Amino acid sequence: MPVFTKDLDSAFQAAGAKPGTEIWCIENQHLVLVPQSCHGKFYTGSAYIVLNTVFPKSGPPQHDLHYWLGNDANEVDSGLASDKALELDAALGSCSVQYREIQGQESQKFLSYFKPCIIPIEGVFNSKQGNLSDEYQVSLYSCKGDHVVRVKEVPFLRSSLNHDDVFILDTASKIFLFSGCNSTIQERAKALEVIQYIKDDKHNGNCEVATIEDGKFVGDSDVGEFWNFFGGYAPIPRELPSAQEQSLDSSIQLFWINLQGKLCEAGKDALSKDMLETDKCYMLDCGTEIYVWMGRQTLLTERKTSISAVENFLRNEGRSNGTHMTFLSEGLESNIFRSYFSNWPKTVDTTLYEEGREKVAAIFKYQGYDVKELPEEHSEPLINCRGTLKVWRVDGDKLSLLSDAEQTKLFSGDCYIAQFTFPGNERDETLIYAWFGRRCIKEDKTATISHINAMVDSVRTNPVVAQIHEGREPTQFFEILQRLVLFKGGISSGYKKFIEESGVTDETYGENKVALFRVQGTSPDNMQAIQVDHVSASLNSSYCYILQTGASIFTWIGSLSTAQDHNLLDRMVDLLNPTWQPISVREGNEPDDFWDILGGKAEYPRAKEIQKYVEDPHLFVLNISGGDFKVREIYNFTQDDLVTEDMLLLDCQKEIYVWVGLHSVVKSKQEALNLGLKFIEMDILVEDLSPETPIYVVTEGHEPPLFTRFFAWDYSKANMHGNSFERKLAILKGKQHTLEAHNRTPRKASSRGSTPDGQRSISVSSNGRWGRSSSPASFGMHPDYKSPHVSTPDSVAKKLFQGSPSNNSPGSPAVESNASSGTAESLQRNGNKDIENLPVHPYDRLRVVSSNSIAGINVTVREAYLSDEEFREKFGMTKAAFYKLPKWKQNKLKMSLDLF
């Protein structure tokens, strides 16, 4: 298909060039761009085209294209909107997913663009008149939905009210919310957002709001005023159960659409991807959902014919207006669509994405736009890693607390519990990991879960619980342990018994045994040595390795490894055994005895490892009422979608977060973990999720930064008291609201009673860093430190929480720490008086490789020019402690920081 044509509508110039929503309306059979101020205002007599563009963190732009048809729109405008949507798709390189939206039956994805709601307006869009309403009229609206709400104007009659829904009566001076007795708290809360929208849009923010409960009317002036609009109070009759609509055939049917628009059956139920030919269009009939699949080699005229044929099919079959239609181009199939085909490849064909991206870039550049790739996101710790770490080895009913030296050396045949307490937002937070080794036994797994449950009950900080497996650890786990060595075999009695009874060879690591370690990581604070099978096939050109034998030590440097990898290799050798004198071997120059130790030379991966494409996260509501497990996705999610009565799941592909609201039915971390496992088993997005995907359980009000980073987070909202309706009502009325019963006062991370043994962890970690300090004051947090991705509360919320203490207030631990961390210590400089009282320079200018280096300094003591604070930050110790170290160790530390 062409990148652009002479017939491209001028209204589409630069469409999709920027992220966000763009809207066009059909007016007098021409496209008119709808201004931003009118977004969300749809006229019932018009047809619209809506384009939503997202620029993900990685990968090409994603386009969702909708055409919306008002109930009173004429056939000409409706047909033109369909054709223009296809034309825009062609201009975007056929890289959009298209949807047909019918007024009152819109998809949840479409409604998510216009939060809190859209309220269709009677009439026809007129760009010249500016769509101003003539005069104010009393209106009655019904509201349905908990996360996305469908608002519909209903006749201003008593008979329009019922016991199941929520209604809004909008009058000149006051807005009334009437809640049916059978409506849910979530629906009522969502209706309050609609009231806020109406109040701002129609009343300029100046009008009263009253809430009316179904059946409660005694002694309330607002209730009397409400019923006076309907001629006085009278009971609302109970509706009789309506006859169920005839259910559609549950079978799935695939039709080929020929050039004349005729549908020919191509398959039923058992479908295969091989049935879809690239030069044809198909319709997949799933009952309430219709998909039109368009091959890559089909022409624009064929696509238009196919869409018309499907619309005629729905009319002739008498299908409901609620039947959704989705149009997919080859290569852009949704996960749900792919799930109907038995042999759809697991890997995504990226060639079409690249082709589409090139086409889109060509269009933008042709129109004068500068198109650039999005920069890669820098990897930074998601939580403050300077806290208190405790690690236990699980041995059936017994827990063994590991020493500082042992807590970063794990065995593949064992299970461990790691508890990490760290400074959070206004208080200390706790994160508990259950780590399952690849060779651990089932009994130890079960015991670990039992120990975790008991530990959660004993920890007062309402900890985040995570269940992880060897080989699929999240980055955060590595950053907490900092330096991890993972050995083969196990130490627990259960593992030893299993080895003895099964008769297999015990591979448990020993200093006199042959062992091969793969070294990996991103920095000295995140590096691992993983013991692998000591055979040549375990090597990989992208990594460095340590080969241990009884007689010698080899370090093997892969040809695709980096200078940073080499630095980590040296550090890891020193960590495993500082007395080792390894023989350095580069890939391609190995001696014969190296291969002999590995059992002979063999093939191993030599290509550069490419990071897997990861989509942006998806948020789902989990519903377990009545014993059923149902999942519904929330599109374009925000923090406000975390409703306190709900359980939600954030699917990040590499890891999963189960968020538990304070008023939800789930009351235990274990139950939440089971829900996460159930979600993985269902794999509704067809992501090929592994059963070993890490699962975090997060409780409302105790969300750590590794979870809040996916939202524009406002901590004040997490402090509010009551159910979702009470919270929204407090904000709407602008009243002071009490906080949750749990207080937000910081506690010391090392307080007793937070762990089974009640012992206090020491402040200095085994690796010599001041990384395990017991409180914010211990490590001197900068007073300007802020948790990432914290949004500023809205004006109403600020009023609600004006009394909240600030992290930077005088007398806070952070400020006091910085005030006292100056030059109180007397430095011992090994008799070298030349390095005292030197001027202070920043680290970036003191490095050996610096774009803005400082001239005239003593290059042999670059570190001495650092301030005391920056020195402690970089070296993890004071200058006095550093200069007490042996000279060789000083030089090694300076080399790692590019200061030598």
Side-chain angles (χ1 to χ4, degrees):
M1 298 182 67
V3 175
F4 50 84
T5 69
K6 296 179 181 179
D7 298 327
L8 179 64
D9 198 301
S10 59
F12 286 146
Q13 297 297 321
K18 297 179 181 179
T21 304
E22 300 168 86
I23 304 177
W24 299 264
C25 185
I26 306 294
E27 183 182 19
N28 298 325
Q29 299 184 29
H30 288 87
L31 274 180
V32 176
L33 182 64
V34 177
Q36 186 78 29
S37 59
C38 295
H39 283 197
K41 298 179 180 179
F42 292 87
Y43 284 80
T44 61
S46 299
Y48 295 79
I49 295 174
V50 177
L51 174 65
N52 188 69
T53 301
V54 175
F55 284 79
K57 294 179 182 178
S58 58
Q62 297 173 357
H63 305 285
D64 286 301
L65 187 55
H66 309 253
Y67 63 94
W68 185 90
L69 307 178
N71 289 339
D72 302 326
N74 58 56
E75 290 187 13
V76 175
D77 287 352
S78 299
L80 185 57
S82 173
D83 292 344
K84 288 296 182 180
L86 273 177
E87 184 181 319
L88 177 55
D89 173 60
L92 293 171
S94 299
C95 282
S96 70
V97 178
Q98 302 165 63
Y99 308 84
R100 184 188 69 160
E101 307 287 354
I102 303 297
Q103 179 186 337
Q105 304 293 336
E106 297 89 353
S107 66
Q108 295 203 6
K109 175 173 280 191
F110 180 82
L111 292 174
S112 70
Y113 306 145
F114 308 104
K115 293 182 177 180
C117 66
I118 62 173
I119 303 178
I121 305 169
E122 294 289 334
V124 179
F125 175 85
N126 189 326
S127 57
K128 295 181 180 179
Q129 293 181 2
N131 304 297
L132 298 176
S133 55
D134 295 329
E135 62 181 42
Y136 189 85
Q137 293 182 344
V138 175
S139 303
L140 182 65
Y141 303 97
S142 68
C143 300
K144 295 184 179 183
D146 46 11
H147 284 274
V148 292
V149 59
R150 289 183 171 84
V151 180
K152 178 183 178 182
E153 185 170 2
V154 296
F156 180 30
L157 300 170
R158 183 197 309 276
S159 57
S160 296
L161 303 175
N162 61 54
H163 297 290
D164 298 323
D165 298 326
V166 180
F167 295 86
I168 295 173
L169 178 63
D170 179 23
T171 71
S173 60
K174 186 179 289 188
I175 303 176
F176 298 87
L177 173 68
F178 176 84
S179 302
C181 58
N182 297 328
S183 62
T184 66
I185 291 176
Q186 296 96 317
E187 288 176 318
R188 300 177 188 185
K190 207 65 185 177
L192 288 176
E193 295 183 17
V194 177
I195 287 180
Q196 182 71 63
Y197 170 76
I198 294 174
K199 180 180 177 181
D200 294 338
D201 185 58
K202 290 188 175 183
H203 299 267
N204 295 320
N206 298 316
C207 75
E208 295 183 46
V209 175
T211 57
I212 313 297
E213 286 194 46
D214 185 9
K216 296 183 180 181
F217 59 91
V218 178
D220 193 322
S221 59
D222 287 333
V223 173
E225 185 179 354
F226 172 80
W227 286 113
N228 283 339
F229 282 99
F230 297 95
Y233 173 77
I236 301 173
R238 299 275 179 183
E239 292 187 357
L240 296 175
S242 57
Q244 296 292 328
E245 294 185 7
Q246 185 176 0
S247 60
L248 296 171
D249 185 359
S250 60
S251 62
I252 307 299
Q253 290 182 287
L254 181 68
F255 296 88
W256 163 53
I257 308 172
N258 65 19
L259 297 178
Q260 290 73 40
K262 182 180 179 181
L263 274 63
C264 310
E265 186 169 341
K268 190 173 182 179
D269 292 331
L271 303 179
S272 168
K273 184 180 183 296
D274 299 333
M275 296 177 176
L276 304 176
E277 299 181 30
T278 189
D279 60 347
K280 293 180 181 178
C281 294
Y282 295 83
M283 182 188 81
L284 183 66
D285 183 3
C286 305
T288 58
E289 190 82 33
I290 297 290
Y291 295 92
V292 179
W293 185 88
M294 299 171 286
R296 194 183 306 179
Q297 297 180 18
T298 55
L299 301 175
L300 183 60
T301 54
E302 296 178 72
R303 299 185 174 203
K304 288 182 178 180
T305 300
S306 298
I307 292 175
S308 298
V310 173
E311 290 177 339
N312 290 333
F313 168 81
L314 294 180
R315 281 192 293 267
N316 295 336
E317 290 287 317
R319 293 289 181 89
S320 165
N321 281 340
T323 303
H324 291 125
M325 287 178 58
T326 305
F327 312 100
L328 303 164
S329 294
E330 181 182 357
L332 293 173
E333 298 85 0
S334 66
N335 295 312
I336 296 177
F337 177 84
R338 296 201 306 265
S339 68
Y340 291 112
F341 296 82
S342 59
N343 65 336
W344 205 283
K346 296 294 184 183
T347 56
V348 179
D349 181 11
T350 58
T351 56
L352 180 63
Y353 290 113
E354 296 301 325
E355 291 174 7
R357 178 163 54 180
E358 291 172 4
K359 290 179 180 180
V360 174
I363 297 172
F364 293 162
K365 291 180 179 178
Y366 175 78
Q367 295 167 351
Y369 287 85
D370 183 20
V371 180
K372 297 180 180 179
E373 291 288 339
L374 293 176
E376 292 187 5
E377 186 177 8
H378 293 290
S379 177
E380 297 179 356
L382 303 175
I383 64 175
N384 192 317
C385 292
R386 299 184 176 185
T388 303
L389 174 68
K390 291 186 177 182
V391 180
W392 293 266
R393 181 184 297 111
V394 177
D395 191 351
D397 295 333
K398 179 183 176 183
L399 278 181
S400 301
L401 178 64
L402 304 184
S403 66
D404 290 344
E406 293 177 320
Q407 66 184 9
T408 56
K409 297 178 180 179
L410 310 183
F411 285 82
S412 185
D414 294 332
C415 296
Y416 296 83
I417 296 175
Q419 176 182 294
F420 183 64
T421 304
F422 60 96
N425 181 58
E426 300 183 2
R427 65 179 175 198
D428 289 344
E429 304 285 357
T430 300
L431 177 57
I432 300 178
Y433 284 102
W435 185 89
F436 301 133
R438 187 170 292 153
R439 302 297 180 89
C440 69
I441 61 174
K442 184 178 180 180
E443 290 77 10
D444 281 348
K445 260 189 178 181
T446 304
T448 301
I449 295 172
S450 177
H451 288 307
I452 284 281
N453 292 334
M455 192 176 294
V456 167
D457 293 336
S458 67
V459 175
R460 292 178 292 171
T461 55
N462 202 339
V464 174
V465 173
Q467 181 173 297
I468 60 177
H469 295 77
E470 178 189 350
R472 289 187 174 270
E473 298 91 346
T475 303
Q476 190 62 61
F477 180 75
F478 289 143
E479 289 172 341
I480 289 173
L481 268 65
Q482 298 181 359
R483 303 172 185 183
L484 171 65
V485 182
L486 182 55
F487 297 111
K488 282 192 166 193
I491 297 178
S492 73
S493 58
Y495 177 81
K496 294 294 185 184
K497 182 179 179 182
F498 166 76
I499 291 295
E500 182 180 349
E501 292 178 350
S502 59
V504 299
T505 303
D506 188 358
E507 297 181 323
T508 302
Y509 172 81
E511 292 184 358
N512 297 323
K513 294 182 179 180
V514 176
L516 180 65
F517 295 91
R518 182 182 71 244
V519 178
Q520 61 187 39
T522 59
S523 72
D525 295 332
N526 176 3
M527 62 180 187
Q528 305 86 44
I530 313 296
Q531 186 178 358
V532 296
D533 293 337
H534 50 273
V535 294
S536 302
S538 297
L539 300 175
N540 188 308
S541 299
S542 298
Y543 295 98
C544 296
Y545 291 79
I546 300 171
L547 178 59
Q548 167 194 326
T549 72
S552 57
I553 303 296
F554 290 93
T555 57
W556 186 85
I557 301 174
S559 59
L560 299 178
S561 60
T562 65
Q564 178 177 269
D565 296 329
H566 306 163
N567 178 32
L568 298 184
L569 177 64
D570 292 338
R571 288 173 173 270
M572 193 54 75
V573 169
D574 190 50
L575 181 65
L576 284 171
N577 191 331
T579 65
W580 278 350
Q581 297 295 326
I583 302 170
S584 181
V585 175
R586 288 192 173 270
E587 182 178 5
N589 296 307
E590 301 88 350
D592 292 339
D593 53 347
F594 175 85
W595 295 118
D596 292 340
I597 296 170
L598 296 179
K601 194 171 184 180
E603 288 298 318
Y604 57 84
R606 299 174 185 268
K608 184 67 176 179
E609 287 197 344
I610 301 176
Q611 191 171 9
K612 182 183 177 183
Y613 174 81
V614 178
E615 294 183 357
D616 284 350
H618 298 263
L619 184 67
F620 299 88
V621 179
L622 306 182
N623 191 331
I624 56 174
S625 61
D628 295 331
F629 183 79
K630 296 181 180 179
V631 177
R632 186 177 77 252
E633 183 168 2
I634 300 175
Y635 300 97
N636 298 304
F637 61 83
T638 65
Q639 182 184 355
D640 289 333
D641 290 309
L642 302 175
V643 180
T644 187
E645 292 83 14
D646 285 341
M647 299 152 291
L648 295 106
L649 184 142
L650 190 67
D651 177 8
C652 305
Q653 293 184 311
K654 288 186 176 181
E655 53 199 14
I656 283 173
Y657 298 84
V658 180
W659 183 89
V660 182
L662 291 176
H663 294 80
S664 70
V665 298
V666 171
K667 301 303 179 186
S668 71
K669 296 286 197 298
Q670 186 55 51
E671 187 178 357
L673 280 172
N674 292 338
L675 291 175
L677 291 170
K678 182 69 175 177
F679 177 88
I680 291 174
E681 181 184 338
M682 293 175 65
D683 197 9
I684 63 171
L685 292 182
V686 198
E687 298 171 300
D688 197 22
L689 293 174
S690 168
E692 297 181 351
T693 302
I695 303 175
Y696 289 86
V697 176
V698 178
T699 305
E700 180 185 4
H702 294 265
E703 298 89 348
L706 63 155
F707 176 79
T708 61
R709 63 190 166 119
F710 297 105
F711 303 82
W713 197 259
D714 178 359
Y715 277 99
S716 65
K717 293 180 179 179
N719 289 338
M720 297 192 69
H721 173 76
N723 61 39
S724 54
F725 176 78
E726 293 168 339
R727 298 181 188 189
K728 294 283 176 62
L729 186 62
I731 293 178
L732 180 63
K733 293 191 173 184
K735 294 182 179 179
Q736 182 71 24
H737 212 49
T738 57
L739 302 184
E740 285 287 3
H742 60 268
N743 62 62
R744 308 286 289 186
T745 305
R747 292 193 299 107
K748 296 295 182 183
S750 59
S751 60
R752 293 181 180 269
S754 61
T755 57
D757 60 353
Q759 296 181 4
R760 183 189 300 268
S761 294
I762 60 174
S763 296
V764 183
S765 67
S766 58
N767 56 29
R769 296 184 60 212
W770 289 81
R772 305 292 183 209
S773 59
S774 57
S775 71
S778 301
F779 58 83
M781 183 188 293
H782 195 278
D784 294 331
Y785 171 83
K786 294 181 180 179
S787 182
H789 303 290
V790 178
S791 64
T792 303
D794 55 64
S795 57
V796 177
K798 285 181 179 177
K799 293 178 182 178
L800 290 175
F801 300 102
Q802 284 178 347
S804 299
S806 169
N807 286 344
N808 303 330
S809 59
S812 67
V815 175
E816 291 177 2
S817 171
N818 281 276
S820 63
S821 62
T823 57
E825 298 174 280
S826 61
L827 303 181
Q828 299 179 15
R829 304 295 176 89
N830 293 336
N832 190 347
K833 300 298 183 181
D834 295 334
I835 57 178
E836 293 184 358
N837 301 319
L838 292 175
V840 173
H841 297 295
Y843 168 73
D844 289 338
R845 299 192 63 190
L846 291 170
R847 296 176 59 189
V848 175
V849 180
S850 174
S851 58
N852 187 24
S853 60
I854 299 173
I857 63 171
N858 184 348
V859 296
T860 63
V861 286
R862 294 176 184 269
E863 77 287 348
Y865 295 91
L866 291 170
S867 67
D868 291 341
E869 293 79 7
E870 194 165 19
F871 190 97
R872 183 190 291 268
E873 177 187 346
K874 298 299 180 183
F875 285 88
M877 63 184 74
T878 63
K879 287 183 178 180
F882 173 80
Y883 287 110
K884 288 180 180 179
L885 297 175
K887 196 69 176 177
W888 67 267
K889 207 155 192 175
Q890 292 181 22
N891 292 339
K892 195 166 186 177
L893 285 172
K894 291 197 295 183
M895 286 176 62
S896 68
L897 293 169
D898 195 27
L899 294 173
F900 184 78

